[in-house]
Amino acid sequence: MGSVLISSSLARALLTSVALTASVLLAGCDSDQVSLATNAKANQPVPPKLIAAMTEKDMDLQSPILVRLFKQEAELEVWKQTRSGQFALLKTYPICRWSGDLGPKVREGDRQAPEGFYSINPGQMNPQSAYYLSFNTGYPNAFDRALGRTGSQLMVHGDCSSRGCYAMTDEQIAEIYSLGRESFFGGQKAFQLQAYPFKMTPVNMAKHRNNPNMAFWKMIKEGYDHFEVTRQEPKVDFCERKYVFDAAKTPDAKRDPVFDANAKCPAYVIPEDIQQAVREKQQRDETEYAKLVARGTPVARMNTGIDGGMNKVFAVRVPEGNTGLSEAPDTNSLSLLAMSKAPGTIPSTVNPPKPNLAVADAAPQNESVVAAPAQTNTRVASAAPAEQQSSSSSGGGWFSGLARKMGMGSSDTTATTTPSTTPAASAPPATAASRLKAAVGRIVPSRDTSKDTAKDTLKDTPKSVVAVKPQEAAKPAETKLAQSRPPLKPSVVEAAPAATSKDSQLAGAAPVVSSNSFDSRFGAMK
């Protein structure tokens, strides 16, 4: 069965390319359309390992998909509909880089990766991205616009570089893109993307209970809960500047309710079976949340100047690597992560998240560090020992743990690059910043970051844009940059573990292709 699916996927991609090329030539040889029709990256077949996983989980190659993103965990999940009609998790991809803080995007240029519910249609798929491949998240949606939020070109793309996007490796985005493409072939008009600050568990809600975004997070948790209890894509509507999930018409209504994000909510009901299941889940969550707060679960430290996060499997392979606002590895798992195969090619120009040492040094040094030991399916946060708090809370705990693993220091000593002859009694007290700087100096070599800014400049600018926005860096045309990249990347499962260098490129988000571009590419096969 698996070999049949593989052959079918490959044959379809090849036939589509040939058919579209012929139709474009007859229409007048438009260079952009020819490029789209013959784009090998966008027509890569779904890898055999993924097809085997689909067969094992009773999924069809062209069944609908759903994507969930989590910043704190730095993970992207692809769910796929089984033959039973419910969605099941197909694969989890570690996110190479995301930018900003936990919380929704508010305005153009704030470097925030969006949070909320978005719809991805074929026109948002970009096969000519300078970031290998990409798709537009659809931000801002109606809810964002109702609040006056601004921003554009917020993508999920390759190249492991982000300015308000979710960046994967090239191999990862090739797989994700192929899964989206096949779902469109199967008739799915759009797939849902759910973006969250973290997995909406009681322990995470307790850790972030003082965050000013909590009201927004509780609102989108409603949709999270709907999916958790039904394993169906929740229907999303907006009214009174809020999200509404799985709304249906009232028993006496003759037509479906009409929603407007800026208007008063119409009369609607939520199906009783869904409402009851969601209510029971929320009651369990609230009971567990109350227990965690009563136990004194430490509140997560607010952003201390760190820009975004990176999954730990990438951070251990990058010079000066740091998970930033994402979850850091424990010392016991460092060696295993370092020996495991990398999920794709990590660019040599990758810019990992870095703590703002000045802000971290000024922050309170006795603030509890959030730690979550396992407890069945729920992790309960607890405070770290006092002597470790100052280094851990500023981001130094990750590096200190790595130093201890390598025999280069301990949790209660300050690492230094040269021996000191000054008596300990006269030495100044160690600060969070000095601990972090010293640990970095011992563990990893210094790196020239002068090209980081150039790397983060936006590249994927539509040709129709003739003026540069004041908030954004200049965006050169993408066509030449895209041509300098290798045409194809191997599957994630075949990727080499070591980071390899790439052609230097300017960074940024990719443009959205025109809404009819997908139809023009794949219409011949429908």
PDB file of all heavy atoms in Angstrom, residues 105 113 116 260 307 321 326 358 364 395 427 461 524-525:
ATOM      1  N   LYS A 105       0.900  38.992  17.957  1.00  0.00           N
ATOM      2  CA  LYS A 105       1.470  40.097  17.195  1.00  0.00           C
ATOM      3  C   LYS A 105       0.498  41.276  17.259  1.00  0.00           C
ATOM      4  O   LYS A 105      -0.712  41.096  17.151  1.00  0.00           O
ATOM      5  CB  LYS A 105       1.712  39.705  15.745  1.00  0.00           C
ATOM      6  CG  LYS A 105       2.403  40.808  14.938  1.00  0.00           C
ATOM      7  CD  LYS A 105       2.785  40.347  13.552  1.00  0.00           C
ATOM      8  CE  LYS A 105       3.543  41.443  12.805  1.00  0.00           C
ATOM      9  NZ  LYS A 105       4.820  41.778  13.465  1.00  0.00           N
ATOM     10  N   ALA A 113       5.873  36.818  16.339  1.00  0.00           N
ATOM     11  CA  ALA A 113       5.214  35.765  15.582  1.00  0.00           C
ATOM     12  C   ALA A 113       3.761  35.697  16.049  1.00  0.00           C
ATOM     13  O   ALA A 113       3.491  35.764  17.247  1.00  0.00           O
ATOM     14  CB  ALA A 113       5.915  34.432  15.805  1.00  0.00           C
ATOM     15  N   GLY A 116      -3.007  32.679  17.433  1.00  0.00           N
ATOM     16  CA  GLY A 116      -4.425  32.680  17.116  1.00  0.00           C
ATOM     17  C   GLY A 116      -4.750  31.599  16.102  1.00  0.00           C
ATOM     18  O   GLY A 116      -3.963  30.674  15.864  1.00  0.00           O
ATOM     19  N   ASP A 260     -19.705  39.120  12.468  1.00  0.00           N
ATOM     20  CA  ASP A 260     -18.879  40.269  12.112  1.00  0.00           C
ATOM     21  C   ASP A 260     -18.013  40.574  13.330  1.00  0.00           C
ATOM     22  O   ASP A 260     -18.531  40.767  14.443  1.00  0.00           O
ATOM     23  CB  ASP A 260     -19.757  41.471  11.758  1.00  0.00           C
ATOM     24  CG  ASP A 260     -18.939  42.680  11.277  1.00  0.00           C
ATOM     25  OD1 ASP A 260     -17.790  42.845  11.730  1.00  0.00           O
ATOM     26  OD2 ASP A 260     -19.470  43.460  10.466  1.00  0.00           O
ATOM     27  N   ASP A 307      15.024  37.618  22.274  1.00  0.00           N
ATOM     28  CA  ASP A 307      14.191  37.662  21.077  1.00  0.00           C
ATOM     29  C   ASP A 307      13.837  36.249  20.642  1.00  0.00           C
ATOM     30  O   ASP A 307      14.592  35.594  19.940  1.00  0.00           O
ATOM     31  CB  ASP A 307      14.925  38.394  19.950  1.00  0.00           C
ATOM     32  CG  ASP A 307      14.124  38.425  18.653  1.00  0.00           C
ATOM     33  OD1 ASP A 307      12.886  38.336  18.723  1.00  0.00           O
ATOM     34  OD2 ASP A 307      14.737  38.533  17.578  1.00  0.00           O
ATOM     35  N   GLY A 321      24.672  28.791  21.048  1.00  0.00           N
ATOM     36  CA  GLY A 321      23.272  28.399  20.972  1.00  0.00           C
ATOM     37  C   GLY A 321      22.561  28.545  22.297  1.00  0.00           C
ATOM     38  O   GLY A 321      23.112  28.290  23.368  1.00  0.00           O
ATOM     39  N   SER A 326      12.187  29.442  24.580  1.00  0.00           N
ATOM     40  CA  SER A 326      11.701  28.068  24.464  1.00  0.00           C
ATOM     41  C   SER A 326      12.285  27.230  25.594  1.00  0.00           C
ATOM     42  O   SER A 326      13.177  27.673  26.322  1.00  0.00           O
ATOM     43  CB  SER A 326      12.078  27.475  23.107  1.00  0.00           C
ATOM     44  OG  SER A 326      11.445  28.178  22.057  1.00  0.00           O
ATOM     45  N   ALA A 358      22.187  43.364  29.908  1.00  0.00           N
ATOM     46  CA  ALA A 358      21.946  44.553  30.730  1.00  0.00           C
ATOM     47  C   ALA A 358      20.619  44.445  31.463  1.00  0.00           C
ATOM     48  O   ALA A 358      20.498  44.744  32.645  1.00  0.00           O
ATOM     49  CB  ALA A 358      21.976  45.808  29.862  1.00  0.00           C
ATOM     50  N   PRO A 364      15.543  41.250  39.279  1.00  0.00           N
ATOM     51  CA  PRO A 364      15.712  40.682  40.621  1.00  0.00           C
ATOM     52  C   PRO A 364      16.416  39.336  40.556  1.00  0.00           C
ATOM     53  O   PRO A 364      16.091  38.495  39.717  1.00  0.00           O
ATOM     54  CB  PRO A 364      14.267  40.534  41.128  1.00  0.00           C
ATOM     55  CG  PRO A 364      13.482  41.495  40.312  1.00  0.00           C
ATOM     56  CD  PRO A 364      14.148  41.556  38.970  1.00  0.00           C
ATOM     57  N   GLY A 395      19.167  32.983  32.143  1.00  0.00           N
ATOM     58  CA  GLY A 395      19.510  32.211  30.948  1.00  0.00           C
ATOM     59  C   GLY A 395      20.825  31.496  31.105  1.00  0.00           C
ATOM     60  O   GLY A 395      21.228  30.713  30.278  1.00  0.00           O
ATOM     61  N   ALA A 427      36.677  39.797  45.947  1.00  0.00           N
ATOM     62  CA  ALA A 427      36.063  39.692  44.615  1.00  0.00           C
ATOM     63  C   ALA A 427      34.652  40.244  44.657  1.00  0.00           C
ATOM     64  O   ALA A 427      33.929  40.049  45.633  1.00  0.00           O
ATOM     65  CB  ALA A 427      36.023  38.225  44.170  1.00  0.00           C
ATOM     66  N   THR A 461       9.786  39.961  -1.034  1.00  0.00           N
ATOM     67  CA  THR A 461       8.941  41.117  -1.314  1.00  0.00           C
ATOM     68  C   THR A 461       8.264  40.950  -2.657  1.00  0.00           C
ATOM     69  O   THR A 461       8.912  40.664  -3.643  1.00  0.00           O
ATOM     70  CB  THR A 461       9.797  42.404  -1.345  1.00  0.00           C
ATOM     71  OG1 THR A 461      10.523  42.481  -0.118  1.00  0.00           O
ATOM     72  CG2 THR A 461       8.907  43.618  -1.516  1.00  0.00           C
ATOM     73  N   ALA A 524      -4.920  21.698 -13.884  1.00  0.00           N
ATOM     74  CA  ALA A 524      -5.009  20.668 -14.908  1.00  0.00           C
ATOM     75  C   ALA A 524      -5.246  19.282 -14.326  1.00  0.00           C
ATOM     76  O   ALA A 524      -5.680  18.374 -15.012  1.00  0.00           O
ATOM     77  CB  ALA A 524      -3.713  20.644 -15.731  1.00  0.00           C
ATOM     78  N   MET A 525      -4.931  19.136 -13.013  1.00  0.00           N
ATOM     79  CA  MET A 525      -5.060  17.804 -12.420  1.00  0.00           C
ATOM     80  C   MET A 525      -6.356  17.626 -11.663  1.00  0.00           C
ATOM     81  O   MET A 525      -6.608  16.579 -11.091  1.00  0.00           O
ATOM     82  CB  MET A 525      -3.870  17.562 -11.467  1.00  0.00           C
ATOM     83  CG  MET A 525      -2.517  17.590 -12.158  1.00  0.00           C
ATOM     84  SD  MET A 525      -2.431  16.421 -13.527  1.00  0.00           S
ATOM     85  CE  MET A 525      -2.705  14.898 -12.668  1.00  0.00           C
TER      86      MET A 525
END
